[in-house]
Amino acid sequence: MNICFLMYPWEEIDPENDTSLALIHECVKRKHGVALCTPANLTIRNSVTNAFCTVIGRMDKVPGNLKSFYKQAKTREEMLPLAGFDVIFMRANPPLDPIMLNFLDSVKDDVFIVNSLQGLREANNKLYTAAFGDSHSNIIPTTHVSKNKGYLLRQIKESKSDKMILKPLNGFGGSGVILIEKSAMSNIKSLLDFYVTNSDGTSNYVILQEYIEGADQGDVRILLLNGEPIGAMKRVPGSDDHRSNVSAGGTVAKHHLTKEEKALCKQIGPKLVKDGLFFVGIDVIGGKLVEVNVMSPGGITYMNKVYKTKIQCTVIDFVESKVLDKLQAFQRRTRLRDEVENA
């Protein structure tokens, strides 16, 4: 099997904690061909979608730990046709690049893409969680998305809570997430000016979200594969930061899913699968869905360390099974067409 990881550059990988590297490592261990490319390296040559790829050389003996593997891996640069791969594993960081998806549209029927292009389009950024909401906000916290500063100020003033969460629509890894309080309304106006209005006169959407009690104790990251949870961890904020993202200084701890969290996964899982969102990370606070991460969900390496497991094996097992299903379906269609042709 040949897999292309569409992600950030090889040089930017964190060799100790990178989920993408854990997946690549598992593929190389299984003797699969592995290449990676960035969205900026997609190109069309003679009407065929190609990519300038970093190809990982095959290894007779693959080091057992990620840091050694990353150090010893040999790479070479080569232009390759994307339709020649069995799998394209999407691991690019947000925000979603629509031009990248336009390139991939030409190969989506030839290659198994994780996650599907249509699913990525629908689940782009943090708006997707609204698809799971209801009028009672049993699943998601009360959420407002706007670039109208007057409207946002009104929602803050009318909120029953003194605290709310403000964050940019296209942020990731905890970037730009802040806690606001009514008692500092003059500061809130300045923050909205900063977040919404750009120097060139354009404006950005922001998310204003109900503050969930207990959020100061951290959140839960759950990884779902094919709609089912395969791992979870508690993310605890640092002593001087309200954000629990590990990239923002948070720490991780073991977490066993609660009854409410299991019910949440069961409720949203079928829609994720229907939308072709096979490998997803969700963030949950107090039993409520805060975010759905569909582009490059992380956490595998941290969960592996906490639970002494290898979640990447489960993920690649699933990918292999999907490729096999696709191959068998193709062989069956070919055989049946031959029967008709030879009748």
Side-chain angles (χ1 to χ4, degrees):
M1 187 169 75
N2 293 296
I3 305 177
C4 179
F5 287 83
L6 188 49
M7 52 182 285
Y8 34 92
W10 177 257
E11 295 77 18
E12 295 181 9
I13 287 176
D14 175 358
E16 292 186 351
N17 302 310
D18 198 292
T19 288
S20 299
L21 184 63
L23 295 167
I24 291 171
H25 180 236
E26 183 61 26
C27 291
V28 173
K29 283 172 61 179
R30 299 187 186 202
K31 306 302 181 183
H32 296 315
V34 178
L36 59 105
C37 73
T38 67
N41 282 333
L42 296 173
T43 188
I44 291 180
R45 178 183 183 185
N46 296 330
S47 301
V48 175
T49 301
N50 282 256
F52 295 101
C53 294
T54 299
V55 181
I56 310 297
R58 298 182 185 272
M59 308 172 76
D60 294 330
K61 186 176 181 180
V62 182
N65 69 79
L66 294 184
K67 197 170 183 179
S68 296
F69 167 70
Y70 182 74
K71 185 177 181 180
Q72 295 181 30
K74 304 297 182 182
T75 65
R76 69 178 189 278
E77 305 302 314
E78 190 169 341
M79 178 186 281
L80 295 172
L82 290 184
F85 289 96
D86 299 292
V87 180
I88 295 176
F89 212 128
M90 305 290 285
R91 296 291 304 169
N93 286 327
L96 183 69
D97 181 355
I99 296 178
M100 170 185 71
L101 299 188
N102 293 342
F103 272 102
L104 297 178
D105 277 328
S106 65
V107 301
K108 63 184 179 184
D109 295 330
D110 303 310
V111 183
F112 175 56
I113 302 179
V114 189
N115 288 309
S116 79
L117 304 186
Q118 187 58 36
L120 289 175
R121 285 187 170 103
E122 292 185 8
N124 183 18
N125 62 55
K126 300 174 178 64
L127 287 177
Y128 188 63
T129 53
F132 301 108
D134 56 36
S135 59
H136 304 293
S137 295
N138 290 329
I139 303 174
I140 62 173
T142 301
T143 302
H144 310 278
V145 182
S146 182
K147 58 172 65 175
N148 185 311
K149 288 180 283 187
Y151 169 79
L152 293 168
L153 281 170
R154 189 164 65 251
Q155 295 308 313
I156 295 170
K157 292 176 181 177
E158 294 177 358
S159 173
K160 296 179 181 179
S161 173
D162 183 56
K163 299 177 181 178
M164 297 191 81
I165 295 295
L166 180 69
K167 52 189 172 183
L169 184 61
N170 287 331
F172 68 96
S175 174
V177 179
I178 59 172
L179 177 67
I180 59 175
E181 301 182 54
K182 286 184 181 179
S183 57
M185 188 59 72
S186 59
N187 291 334
I188 291 174
K189 292 181 180 179
S190 297
L191 286 170
L192 288 177
D193 285 336
F194 176 77
Y195 274 74
V196 173
T197 307
N198 297 318
S199 58
D200 60 0
T202 59
S203 56
N204 306 306
Y205 279 99
V206 297
I207 295 177
L208 185 65
Q209 202 163 55
E210 167 197 6
Y211 177 80
I212 304 172
E213 291 301 325
D216 56 333
Q217 302 300 312
D219 67 2
V220 175
R221 161 58 61 90
I222 305 173
L223 290 178
L224 292 97
L225 181 69
N226 203 31
E228 299 287 340
I230 58 170
M233 64 181 179
K234 180 81 171 181
R235 301 189 300 187
V236 183
S239 58
D240 57 353
D241 198 321
H242 68 91
R243 298 172 298 174
S244 55
N245 305 72
V246 178
S247 58
T251 57
V252 301
K254 284 185 178 181
H255 178 78
H256 299 288
L257 295 182
T258 64
K259 181 180 179 180
E260 292 76 17
E261 290 163 350
K262 290 178 181 178
L264 173 61
C265 292
K266 186 175 182 180
Q267 185 165 348
I268 70 174
K271 177 171 174 55
L272 294 174
V273 175
K274 177 178 177 291
D275 292 341
L277 300 171
F278 299 110
F279 184 50
V280 170
I282 64 173
D283 299 336
V284 178
I285 301 176
K288 290 192 175 183
L289 180 65
V290 179
E291 286 190 22
V292 179
N293 304 274
V294 299
M295 289 192 65
S296 57
I300 281 182
T301 56
Y302 298 105
M303 293 177 192
N304 285 346
K305 291 173 184 176
V306 171
Y307 293 99
K308 307 299 182 186
T309 187
K310 294 182 179 180
I311 294 176
Q312 67 271 20
C313 296
T314 304
V315 177
I316 301 305
D317 284 345
F318 168 76
V319 171
E320 289 176 341
S321 71
K322 296 295 286 187
V323 171
L324 180 60
D325 289 345
K326 191 178 181 72
L327 177 60
Q328 290 177 338
F330 173 78
Q331 291 174 338
R332 180 176 181 275
R333 288 197 304 271
T334 301
R335 184 178 70 252
L336 295 177
R337 285 169 179 165
D338 287 345
E339 288 184 22
V340 173
E341 182 69 25
N342 296 328

